[in-house]
Amino acid sequence: MDVAAIQTSKLSKNYGQGRGLFDLDLHVEAREVFGFLGPNGAGKSTTIRCLMGLIRPTTGSAHIFGLDCIRDYVSVKRKVGYVPGEMPQFGSLRGSEVVAYLGALRGGADLISVRRLAERFNLDLSRRYREYSSGNKQKLAIVLAFMHRPQLLILDEPTSGLDPLNQQEFFALLSEAREDGATIFLSSHILSEVERMCDRVGIIRSGRLVTIADLDELHAIRFHHVELDFAPGTEVPVNAIRSAAGVEEVVASDHTVKCIVKGSFEPLLDALRGATVNNLVSHEPSLEEIFLEYYRETAPTKAMTP
Amino acid sequence: MAAYLLALRLGRWGIAGFGAVAFLVTLLQAAGFYKIAGRTEAERQAFGRSISVLASQFTVIIAPPIRPDTVGGYVQWRAFGFLAILFAIWGLASASGAARGDEDRGLVGAILAGGLSRPRMITARFAAFATGALVAALAASAGMLVGVASGGETISTVAALQAALVLAALGVCCYSLTLLFAQFTSARNSTAIAGVILLALFLVNSLSRTFDALVSWRWLSPFHYYEQSSPLTPGGTLDVRAALVLLGIAAAAAALAAFAFRYRDVGSPLISLPTPSRRPSYQMSRSPVWRIPVLRDLYERRVSLLVWTVGLSALGALFVVLTKSIVKPLLAIPELAPYFALFVNGNIYASFFGYIWFGFAQLLMAGFAITQVARWSAEDSDGRLELILSNPVSRARVVIERLIVLTFGALIIAAVSGVAVGIEAHYQSIQLNSRRLAEASLLLVPFTLVFGTVGALLASRIPRATVGILGAFAFASYLTVELGPIFKLPVWAQDVSAFKLYGQPLTAGTDQTGLVIMLVIVIAGLMASALVMERRDIGA
């Protein structure tokens, strides 16, 4: 049996006043893509910093490929590529020098690998770090994390600052890393991002793991706010919409209908058949709304702990 | 009002720090006057003559004293002359930070996005600094009044307030000029360029005392207008016209800066040359420098290391020249014998040089160590240490590498400046024992490491407070040694100073006990900081 890529047991970091991370039990299999989802301040970065051995847990333990994250922190880093939540300052160093500097700390970086990654993201390494935009700094962080083909990638909100095209490129890179056998631990506060890449998703809130869901469960959790604008003269099929599966909280006024759609859009679209819809707007709820919805539905069985 | 309060808040540590230093400097100089000038009229006149002769050798840097036989004249020359330079530096640092540093940090963008106009923002910053400078200058006057009271005398409060007003006006003037210069330079160069211009303005005034050709140009210098007032000296007054000129320059420069700021892009100078386009490169640097531990860090900070090395070497050579020109006439003055007896023994030239240069060099090397420690703290708070430790390197290795880099840096500075001093001493025909000069220079390395290891320990434990604590420790240590003989502090109190451990190697040879204590501190500090670093939370 393969050793777990990440294993935490009752991992806690107590900053006092209810802040921190509490009793986190995680088990991430090797070659798994695990999403770690939570709103800002939920404890995602604290978890990652414990895994990276940057902060010492108050209680509990964390292991990466069987190595203790605190005791064996140097050996752990040989297996890990890391994108931090925020890139530090490197002042007047050029991108090429930052890569050489940090690559040397690993005992050397692969020139070809660096070149391929930089070309892929169109990252000009001859420019000084201070001239980089936030997107370019994030690209550099990605180059640094991937350049040595690590067994485990720990990525703290890796797409922040990237434009949509580079986000696409990043997800393609993640897919390739996954095919090459890497384990990926992807922290994010964007539901669609983790949904797109991950086998399983851990949801954290107020420092506590709320649930670990697979993709099907995730789809069940997610919902959309939908607003329909009907053409004048069209009979608004309010009753059909109300009776459509997965459609809730329907509010109709004049030619506008607002509702929530859980799961597939198919039943709603069936209910609209024959009506002229001028405009249909759908947007994802915030994570907080998802949590409230999740707790509302599971309140009898799952206690919400701060 | 909100922008003004925010600007005050941003500068609160500067106000507190410079205010405290200003208070201490005037307090110690005023109280020190009664310790060294004597009590009788004859003693004070003799002291005044001695100081006038001594000061005449330094007119290239500071204006000659007026009535140094009185506490007012002495403090005006000794404390307010020094504070003028200090307030100019404060104005420079504060304005370049406000004008360009805050732009780099995104603070200016955030404030402007809140709806504040650019001229109002400059006005708020200007008003906040003026308030801070006035508070700090008043602290200087308060320190002097307390110091004078300690001697059982009094001095006009109005004169003290006038001295504070002129000092604050000079600081504000330098602030506004820097604010103006910063509009025309890149953020990276703003401090350096404004610093060079202010230095030039300072030198135009100070050198005009020696070189007549510069007299017709000194109207350009704010320092010239500052020197027109000497309210603390008996019969001295506030030159209202000169003070108004200072304030007028300040207001005009701030207005021009606000005008220029309206027309430039945030983050760019008012006038910038287009950069030539070039093909992007996707190659990692192949320089072998980055692969060699320690060397890569020395290479990264090569510019600052060069500045420190050249600066210390030039200052060392300058001190040799000053020694020659000062000691020779002073030896002819019998009244100075008791004053020198406090500091000098053995060969007068070597003693004098050893005292003034290596005392000052220690302070500078402590400053060098503090800048390195500040960098370590910054690496922790800005996330660079986190990124370094995401690689397979131990925390102990990080601590050890940092101290080795500091050792090599200090060694380069000490060795080069020692050679520069030796060469200049040879040209000036000053006999310095070569072996002792080498010892004295190299002893600066363990001395620097004392501050480095204490700083490493502090940076491992409380990174955000490290620079302040270490700076205060260095300043207090320096004052203890410099003022200990004057105030007749107990020996144990003087022994606590880090500067005392260095001894007087140029005249008395290496103080073996001091060296051993320094090495013990270095080794203990290294081990303790490595241990603390292993156990602490990064970025906490």
Side-chain angles (χ1 to χ4, degrees), chain B residues 55-79:
Chain B
S56 66
Q57 308 304 320
F58 292 100
T59 52
V60 172
I61 301 171
I62 49 175
I66 302 168
R67 295 289 310 276
D69 56 315
T70 61
V71 68
Y74 182 75
V75 173
Q76 179 84 58
W77 172 69
R78 192 78 200 267

mmCIF file of all heavy atoms in Angstrom, chain B residues 55-79:
data_model
loop_
_atom_site.group_PDB
_atom_site.id
_atom_site.type_symbol
_atom_site.label_atom_id
_atom_site.label_comp_id
_atom_site.label_asym_id
_atom_site.label_seq_id
_atom_site.Cartn_x
_atom_site.Cartn_y
_atom_site.Cartn_z
ATOM 1 N N ALA B 55 37.338 73.860 17.245
ATOM 2 C CA ALA B 55 36.286 73.996 16.238
ATOM 3 C C ALA B 55 36.810 74.615 14.952
ATOM 4 O O ALA B 55 36.294 74.348 13.873
ATOM 5 C CB ALA B 55 35.144 74.835 16.795
ATOM 6 N N SER B 56 37.855 75.452 15.081
ATOM 7 C CA SER B 56 38.369 76.115 13.880
ATOM 8 C C SER B 56 38.908 75.095 12.873
ATOM 9 O O SER B 56 39.011 75.374 11.686
ATOM 10 C CB SER B 56 39.467 77.116 14.262
ATOM 11 O OG SER B 56 40.589 76.417 14.780
ATOM 12 N N GLN B 57 39.249 73.907 13.371
ATOM 13 C CA GLN B 57 39.747 72.862 12.469
ATOM 14 C C GLN B 57 38.605 72.153 11.747
ATOM 15 O O GLN B 57 38.820 71.385 10.821
ATOM 16 C CB GLN B 57 40.568 71.826 13.263
ATOM 17 C CG GLN B 57 41.667 72.419 14.121
ATOM 18 C CD GLN B 57 42.634 73.263 13.320
ATOM 19 O OE1 GLN B 57 42.999 72.904 12.198
ATOM 20 N NE2 GLN B 57 43.056 74.386 13.876
ATOM 21 N N PHE B 58 37.393 72.358 12.220
ATOM 22 C CA PHE B 58 36.250 71.636 11.637
ATOM 23 C C PHE B 58 35.300 72.549 10.865
ATOM 24 O O PHE B 58 34.194 72.151 10.549
ATOM 25 C CB PHE B 58 35.446 70.932 12.749
ATOM 26 C CG PHE B 58 36.178 69.803 13.405
ATOM 27 C CD1 PHE B 58 36.807 69.982 14.629
ATOM 28 C CD2 PHE B 58 36.242 68.558 12.806
ATOM 29 C CE1 PHE B 58 37.478 68.941 15.252
ATOM 30 C CE2 PHE B 58 36.919 67.514 13.418
ATOM 31 C CZ PHE B 58 37.538 67.696 14.642
ATOM 32 N N THR B 59 35.726 73.763 10.603
ATOM 33 C CA THR B 59 34.793 74.696 9.948
ATOM 34 C C THR B 59 34.419 74.241 8.542
ATOM 35 O O THR B 59 33.453 74.731 7.980
ATOM 36 C CB THR B 59 35.398 76.109 9.871
ATOM 37 O OG1 THR B 59 36.686 76.006 9.279
ATOM 38 C CG2 THR B 59 35.477 76.757 11.235
ATOM 39 N N VAL B 60 35.210 73.312 8.008
ATOM 40 C CA VAL B 60 34.843 72.758 6.700
ATOM 41 C C VAL B 60 33.502 72.029 6.815
ATOM 42 O O VAL B 60 32.728 71.952 5.864
ATOM 43 C CB VAL B 60 35.945 71.785 6.216
ATOM 44 C CG1 VAL B 60 35.523 71.045 4.967
ATOM 45 C CG2 VAL B 60 37.217 72.552 5.940
ATOM 46 N N ILE B 61 33.224 71.515 8.008
ATOM 47 C CA ILE B 61 31.991 70.737 8.194
ATOM 48 C C ILE B 61 30.932 71.553 8.946
ATOM 49 O O ILE B 61 29.795 71.657 8.484
ATOM 50 C CB ILE B 61 32.282 69.427 8.956
ATOM 51 C CG1 ILE B 61 33.299 68.598 8.170
ATOM 52 C CG2 ILE B 61 30.997 68.621 9.154
ATOM 53 C CD1 ILE B 61 33.826 67.410 8.918
ATOM 54 N N ILE B 62 31.304 72.101 10.093
ATOM 55 C CA ILE B 62 30.295 72.835 10.874
ATOM 56 C C ILE B 62 30.770 74.248 11.167
ATOM 57 O O ILE B 62 31.971 74.515 11.231
ATOM 58 C CB ILE B 62 29.937 72.120 12.200
ATOM 59 C CG1 ILE B 62 31.191 71.715 12.965
ATOM 60 C CG2 ILE B 62 29.049 70.925 11.959
ATOM 61 C CD1 ILE B 62 30.914 71.127 14.316
ATOM 62 N N ALA B 63 29.783 75.107 11.367
ATOM 63 C CA ALA B 63 30.095 76.526 11.588
ATOM 64 C C ALA B 63 30.861 76.694 12.901
ATOM 65 O O ALA B 63 30.666 75.921 13.833
ATOM 66 C CB ALA B 63 28.798 77.322 11.649
ATOM 67 N N PRO B 64 31.741 77.704 12.978
ATOM 68 C CA PRO B 64 32.480 77.920 14.238
ATOM 69 C C PRO B 64 31.522 78.345 15.348
ATOM 70 O O PRO B 64 30.495 78.969 15.082
ATOM 71 C CB PRO B 64 33.453 79.041 13.875
ATOM 72 C CG PRO B 64 32.862 79.712 12.697
ATOM 73 C CD PRO B 64 32.091 78.689 11.957
ATOM 74 N N PRO B 65 31.863 78.024 16.604
ATOM 75 C CA PRO B 65 30.965 78.365 17.712
ATOM 76 C C PRO B 65 31.025 79.842 18.062
ATOM 77 O O PRO B 65 32.026 80.508 17.807
ATOM 78 C CB PRO B 65 31.496 77.501 18.857
ATOM 79 C CG PRO B 65 32.941 77.318 18.546
ATOM 80 C CD PRO B 65 33.070 77.313 17.062
ATOM 81 N N ILE B 66 29.953 80.327 18.642
ATOM 82 C CA ILE B 66 29.934 81.688 19.186
ATOM 83 C C ILE B 66 29.770 81.559 20.694
ATOM 84 O O ILE B 66 28.830 80.899 21.158
ATOM 85 C CB ILE B 66 28.758 82.490 18.594
ATOM 86 C CG1 ILE B 66 28.873 82.527 17.058
ATOM 87 C CG2 ILE B 66 28.695 83.899 19.177
ATOM 88 C CD1 ILE B 66 27.643 83.036 16.353
ATOM 89 N N ARG B 67 30.673 82.105 21.435
ATOM 90 C CA ARG B 67 30.670 82.051 22.894
ATOM 91 C C ARG B 67 30.499 80.613 23.432
ATOM 92 O O ARG B 67 29.557 80.308 24.163
ATOM 93 C CB ARG B 67 29.545 82.929 23.465
ATOM 94 C CG ARG B 67 29.691 84.417 23.196
ATOM 95 C CD ARG B 67 30.816 85.057 24.009
ATOM 96 N NE ARG B 67 30.769 84.754 25.429
ATOM 97 C CZ ARG B 67 30.031 85.421 26.309
ATOM 98 N NH1 ARG B 67 29.288 86.429 25.911
ATOM 99 N NH2 ARG B 67 30.079 85.114 27.580
ATOM 100 N N PRO B 68 31.438 79.730 23.067
ATOM 101 C CA PRO B 68 31.332 78.363 23.604
ATOM 102 C C PRO B 68 31.656 78.276 25.082
ATOM 103 O O PRO B 68 31.580 77.195 25.665
ATOM 104 C CB PRO B 68 32.347 77.584 22.760
ATOM 105 C CG PRO B 68 33.342 78.584 22.326
ATOM 106 C CD PRO B 68 32.594 79.869 22.169
ATOM 107 N N ASP B 69 32.024 79.403 25.678
ATOM 108 C CA ASP B 69 32.269 79.413 27.121
ATOM 109 C C ASP B 69 30.961 79.482 27.907
ATOM 110 O O ASP B 69 30.957 79.421 29.128
ATOM 111 C CB ASP B 69 33.167 80.602 27.502
ATOM 112 C CG ASP B 69 32.563 81.924 27.043
ATOM 113 O OD1 ASP B 69 32.105 81.984 25.881
ATOM 114 O OD2 ASP B 69 32.525 82.871 27.851
ATOM 115 N N THR B 70 29.841 79.642 27.178
ATOM 116 C CA THR B 70 28.524 79.642 27.833
ATOM 117 C C THR B 70 27.767 78.389 27.410
ATOM 118 O O THR B 70 28.014 77.844 26.329
ATOM 119 C CB THR B 70 27.700 80.865 27.406
ATOM 120 O OG1 THR B 70 27.494 80.795 25.989
ATOM 121 C CG2 THR B 70 28.430 82.154 27.743
ATOM 122 N N VAL B 71 26.850 77.962 28.262
ATOM 123 C CA VAL B 71 26.125 76.731 27.932
ATOM 124 C C VAL B 71 25.298 76.912 26.659
ATOM 125 O O VAL B 71 25.195 76.001 25.836
ATOM 126 C CB VAL B 71 25.257 76.275 29.137
ATOM 127 C CG1 VAL B 71 24.109 77.234 29.404
ATOM 128 C CG2 VAL B 71 24.711 74.874 28.904
ATOM 129 N N GLY B 72 24.734 78.109 26.479
ATOM 130 C CA GLY B 72 23.932 78.362 25.281
ATOM 131 C C GLY B 72 24.770 78.270 24.022
ATOM 132 O O GLY B 72 24.399 77.620 23.047
ATOM 133 N N GLY B 73 25.920 78.950 24.043
ATOM 134 C CA GLY B 73 26.799 78.930 22.874
ATOM 135 C C GLY B 73 27.319 77.529 22.583
ATOM 136 O O GLY B 73 27.414 77.112 21.421
ATOM 137 N N TYR B 74 27.654 76.800 23.662
ATOM 138 C CA TYR B 74 28.179 75.446 23.489
ATOM 139 C C TYR B 74 27.116 74.504 22.890
ATOM 140 O O TYR B 74 27.379 73.780 21.933
ATOM 141 C CB TYR B 74 28.662 74.916 24.838
ATOM 142 C CG TYR B 74 29.277 73.540 24.785
ATOM 143 C CD1 TYR B 74 30.551 73.340 24.278
ATOM 144 C CD2 TYR B 74 28.566 72.436 25.238
ATOM 145 C CE1 TYR B 74 31.119 72.077 24.230
ATOM 146 C CE2 TYR B 74 29.116 71.164 25.191
ATOM 147 C CZ TYR B 74 30.400 70.988 24.686
ATOM 148 O OH TYR B 74 30.945 69.741 24.633
ATOM 149 N N VAL B 75 25.917 74.565 23.449
ATOM 150 C CA VAL B 75 24.842 73.675 22.964
ATOM 151 C C VAL B 75 24.427 74.061 21.540
ATOM 152 O O VAL B 75 24.146 73.196 20.706
ATOM 153 C CB VAL B 75 23.637 73.691 23.934
ATOM 154 C CG1 VAL B 75 22.462 72.918 23.362
ATOM 155 C CG2 VAL B 75 24.041 73.096 25.275
ATOM 156 N N GLN B 76 24.400 75.376 21.279
ATOM 157 C CA GLN B 76 24.051 75.822 19.923
ATOM 158 C C GLN B 76 25.016 75.212 18.900
ATOM 159 O O GLN B 76 24.610 74.731 17.843
ATOM 160 C CB GLN B 76 24.123 77.350 19.843
ATOM 161 C CG GLN B 76 23.798 77.937 18.476
ATOM 162 C CD GLN B 76 22.305 78.104 18.257
ATOM 163 O OE1 GLN B 76 21.632 78.782 19.014
ATOM 164 N NE2 GLN B 76 21.779 77.463 17.228
ATOM 165 N N TRP B 77 26.296 75.229 19.266
ATOM 166 C CA TRP B 77 27.314 74.713 18.339
ATOM 167 C C TRP B 77 27.330 73.179 18.328
ATOM 168 O O TRP B 77 27.216 72.563 17.279
ATOM 169 C CB TRP B 77 28.692 75.229 18.763
ATOM 170 C CG TRP B 77 29.831 74.626 17.998
ATOM 171 C CD1 TRP B 77 30.151 74.820 16.686
ATOM 172 C CD2 TRP B 77 30.820 73.729 18.509
ATOM 173 N NE1 TRP B 77 31.270 74.104 16.342
ATOM 174 C CE2 TRP B 77 31.710 73.418 17.447
ATOM 175 C CE3 TRP B 77 31.059 73.152 19.754
ATOM 176 C CZ2 TRP B 77 32.799 72.557 17.588
ATOM 177 C CZ3 TRP B 77 32.155 72.297 19.907
ATOM 178 C CH2 TRP B 77 32.998 72.003 18.823
ATOM 179 N N ARG B 78 27.431 72.586 19.513
ATOM 180 C CA ARG B 78 27.665 71.151 19.620
ATOM 181 C C ARG B 78 26.415 70.322 19.313
ATOM 182 O O ARG B 78 26.487 69.313 18.607
ATOM 183 C CB ARG B 78 28.170 70.842 21.031
ATOM 184 C CG ARG B 78 28.731 69.462 21.247
ATOM 185 C CD ARG B 78 30.128 69.327 20.703
ATOM 186 N NE ARG B 78 30.460 67.913 20.486
ATOM 187 C CZ ARG B 78 31.060 67.146 21.372
ATOM 188 N NH1 ARG B 78 31.451 67.639 22.517
ATOM 189 N NH2 ARG B 78 31.302 65.873 21.103
ATOM 190 N N ALA B 79 25.265 70.755 19.845
ATOM 191 C CA ALA B 79 24.055 69.936 19.682
ATOM 192 C C ALA B 79 23.235 70.371 18.474
ATOM 193 O O ALA B 79 22.917 69.556 17.608
ATOM 194 C CB ALA B 79 23.209 69.996 20.946
#
